[in-house]
Amino acid sequence: MKTSEGKMTLWLLAWPIFIEQFLQFLLGAADTLMVSRISDDAVAVVGFSNQLFFALQTLFMTIASGAGILIAQKLGSRKNEDARVLGIMAVSVSAAIGIVLSLILVWKPVEIAQLLNMPENLLPLAKIYISIVGGGMVLTALMAALGTAIRNTGNTKGPMYTAIGMNVIHIILNYAFIYGAFGFPQWGLTGVAISTLVSRLLASIFLYWLFIQSFDQRIKLRDFKIFDRKLFNDILKIGWPLGVNSSCWVFTQLIIFTFIAMLGSKELATRTYMNTLESFCFLLGFSIALAVQIQIAHLFGARQTKEAYKGAYKALVIGLILVTVNAFLVFVLGKSILSIFTNDPEIIAMAGSLLLLNLMLQPGKMLNMALGNALNAVGDTKFPMWTAIFSMWLIATALSYYLGIEWGWGLVGIYVCMIADEYVRGLLALWRWRQRKHLKRAEASMTATTLPGSGAMAIDS
């Protein structure tokens, strides 16, 4: 095991994750800013396409996320070889899924965009962006599996350094292709797509180098033939509810984007700009939520259940303070920031009306992230799944159609439904965590194994 228990404190886990996520935010913001110099239509295509990519990522994130939680639990219980095998299988299976997705996106980009109701005037740009960036979906799959495995060993700095390098390369290449700098051709959105592909390729190579030395025994190419059916079933047992949960989020977001597309290309661009502003709001909170998931999984694996229970509340309090402050800053400065991205007064006005709603949204999102991740860390993944199926589809999606489209509330109506969804799921997760169901089960298991001379009797009871 390459990490020690001293590295499992919330702060030491969280700050590299924050730097990594902040750099990803800068990457998205730089992308949006640079693409906005091409046109608002190009921004709309990038935002819409990214929702499609997020939706497809759930197919391999199911494996990567389930394996990540189990890696942390196995390392916490000192089963280091099991953790190594879990990491190997997560990478190989995720890569296979990524190859299939890449082939589909290269083959039918326009048909996919049409299926999702993308406006006709955006289809030529969508064909370029979806086919090139989507063709590299295998790289996204590798980055997800490799990064998740590395992070759950306690090494959150490695993915952070990777994010730094990827951001620098991507921004330089974006600038070169958009403006024709450094002797590069001026390829506009095509250049942005190529820049994305190249930076992800280099990031995948570096993450692979980190991954093969993340466990006690160095991983070799021939090890990727390893397949342990029992451990893979364990991945699926934890991972499939995570996959359904994530699928609910990304597919409902994708459907909501199709609702916004019905409103028009300016509304679509507005939502893309708001995504950038919202990302800044919850970066620290998301980093803390991800860090506490790793920490609780290790503690749960080591059967330190009381520490695991209290850790979730500590993370929640810290996260709520941080996201509320960030959301308030965005509320105050939002219009000024938006003017950097676009000069369209209609887009700025629409986004400005959403800033107060974003201030209400972010605390609910933090509540949901922190306690949802805590439940996932102890293997209680089905409860968040069922709440996601109920709340995301009925409140966030179906109700947003009626408020936003049928009743004419537009983006404001859609945001109101998003807020309601986050608070419903967050409060239900809080109720579930207070029940301590999986923690009590682990405590009962410890009691049973420590009873003197009567293991069978203890189990039967």
Side-chain angles (χ1 to χ4, degrees), residues 83-143:
R84 178 177 177 272
V85 172
L86 286 163
I88 290 168
M89 290 192 296
V91 172
S92 57
V93 174
S94 297
I97 296 171
I99 290 171
V100 174
L101 294 177
S102 293
L103 293 173
I104 293 172
L105 291 168
V106 169
W107 184 36
K108 295 287 185 181
V110 175
E111 290 81 356
I112 293 170
Q114 288 174 325
L115 182 66
L116 299 173
N117 291 326
M118 183 172 282
E120 287 290 328
N121 62 305
L122 301 182
L123 290 179
L125 289 175
K127 179 180 180 180
I128 294 169
Y129 194 78
I130 291 175
S131 61
I132 296 175
V133 177
M137 189 61 72
V138 61
L139 299 176
T140 308
L142 282 171
M143 287 173 58

Side-chain angles (χ1 to χ4, degrees), residues 241-299:
L242 290 173
V244 172
N245 193 340
S246 298
S247 297
C248 285
W249 188 83
V250 293
F251 280 106
T252 54
Q253 288 298 306
L254 186 59
I255 291 171
I256 289 169
F257 256 75
T258 65
F259 296 163
I260 297 172
M262 294 178 189
L263 299 172
S265 58
K266 286 193 176 183
E267 284 81 359
L268 204 55
T270 300
R271 177 58 184 145
T272 302
Y273 289 129
M274 281 300 299
N275 270 347
T276 301
L277 293 180
E278 289 170 26
S279 296
F280 169 75
C281 293
F282 70 86
L283 279 175
L284 272 171
F286 178 74
S287 305
I288 289 168
L290 194 55
V292 82
Q293 177 176 293
I294 297 170
Q295 183 188 50
I296 289 175
H298 274 265
L299 291 170

Side-chain angles (χ1 to χ4, degrees), residues 368-382:
N368 188 24
M369 286 191 300
L371 294 178
N373 280 15
L375 290 171
N376 291 336
V378 300
D380 191 2
T381 55
K382 288 185 181 179

Side-chain angles (χ1 to χ4, degrees), residues 61-372:
M61 282 305 298
T62 297
I63 304 298
S65 300
I69 291 171
L70 286 172
I71 287 169
Q73 289 183 1
K74 295 296 184 183
L75 291 177
S77 58
R78 307 297 182 186
K79 297 177 180 178
N80 298 350
E81 182 56 26
D82 282 354
R84 178 177 177 272
V85 172
L86 286 163
I88 290 168
M89 290 192 296
V91 172
S92 57
V93 174
S94 297
I97 296 171
I99 290 171
V100 174
L101 294 177
S102 293
L103 293 173
I104 293 172
L105 291 168
V106 169
W107 184 36
K108 295 287 185 181
V110 175
E111 290 81 356
I112 293 170
Q114 288 174 325
L115 182 66
L116 299 173
N117 291 326
M118 183 172 282
E120 287 290 328
N121 62 305
L122 301 182
L123 290 179
L125 289 175
K127 179 180 180 180
I128 294 169
Y129 194 78
I130 291 175
S131 61
I132 296 175
V133 177
M137 189 61 72
V138 61
L139 299 176
T140 308
L142 282 171
M143 287 173 58
L146 294 167
T148 302
I150 293 165
R151 205 177 287 115
N152 279 276
T153 65
N155 177 13
T156 53
K157 291 182 181 179
M160 176 193 73
Y161 294 136
T162 306
I164 292 173
M166 185 173 72
N167 273 269
V168 170
I169 293 167
H170 185 59
I171 291 172
I172 291 173
L173 288 178
N174 263 8
Y175 181 82
F177 279 120
I178 291 174
Y179 298 102
F182 315 123
F184 279 73
Q186 193 170 356
W187 282 351
L189 191 61
T190 302
V192 172
I194 293 172
S195 167
T196 302
L197 208 60
V198 171
S199 60
R200 287 178 179 173
L201 173 62
L202 296 176
S204 298
I205 293 170
F206 186 69
L207 285 172
Y208 176 77
W209 178 76
L210 291 174
F211 172 73
I212 61 176
Q213 50 193 336
S214 291
F215 301 92
D216 285 342
Q217 184 180 349
R218 186 182 177 92
I219 295 170
K220 300 178 181 178
L221 275 176
R222 65 173 178 266
D223 292 330
F224 287 97
K225 296 185 293 185
I226 294 173
F227 190 86
D228 186 308
R229 186 177 297 275
K230 181 182 180 302
L231 287 176
F232 189 72
N233 287 337
D234 290 342
I235 292 176
L236 293 179
K237 185 177 179 181
I238 279 191
W240 78 263
L242 290 173
V244 172
N245 193 340
S246 298
S247 297
C248 285
W249 188 83
V250 293
F251 280 106
T252 54
Q253 288 298 306
L254 186 59
I255 291 171
I256 289 169
F257 256 75
T258 65
F259 296 163
I260 297 172
M262 294 178 189
L263 299 172
S265 58
K266 286 193 176 183
E267 284 81 359
L268 204 55
T270 300
R271 177 58 184 145
T272 302
Y273 289 129
M274 281 300 299
N275 270 347
T276 301
L277 293 180
E278 289 170 26
S279 296
F280 169 75
C281 293
F282 70 86
L283 279 175
L284 272 171
F286 178 74
S287 305
I288 289 168
L290 194 55
V292 82
Q293 177 176 293
I294 297 170
Q295 183 188 50
I296 289 175
H298 274 265
L299 291 170
F300 184 73
R303 295 297 187 260
Q304 299 178 35
T305 55
K306 291 182 180 178
E307 291 83 353
Y309 181 71
K310 294 177 182 177
Y313 292 119
K314 178 182 179 181
L316 175 61
V317 171
I318 295 171
L320 283 173
I321 293 170
L322 293 173
V323 299
T324 302
V325 170
N326 286 347
F328 181 75
L329 290 175
V330 168
F331 172 69
V332 173
L333 304 173
K335 287 189 177 180
S336 300
I337 297 171
L338 284 167
S339 64
I340 300 173
F341 293 91
T342 180
N343 295 320
D344 190 312
E346 191 175 346
I347 291 177
I348 293 175
M350 282 191 289
S353 66
L354 303 176
L355 293 173
L356 178 60
L357 293 175
N358 179 62
L359 181 58
M360 299 167 63
L361 171 69
Q362 296 306 323
K365 191 182 287 288
M366 184 66 231
L367 176 67
N368 188 24
M369 286 191 300
L371 294 178

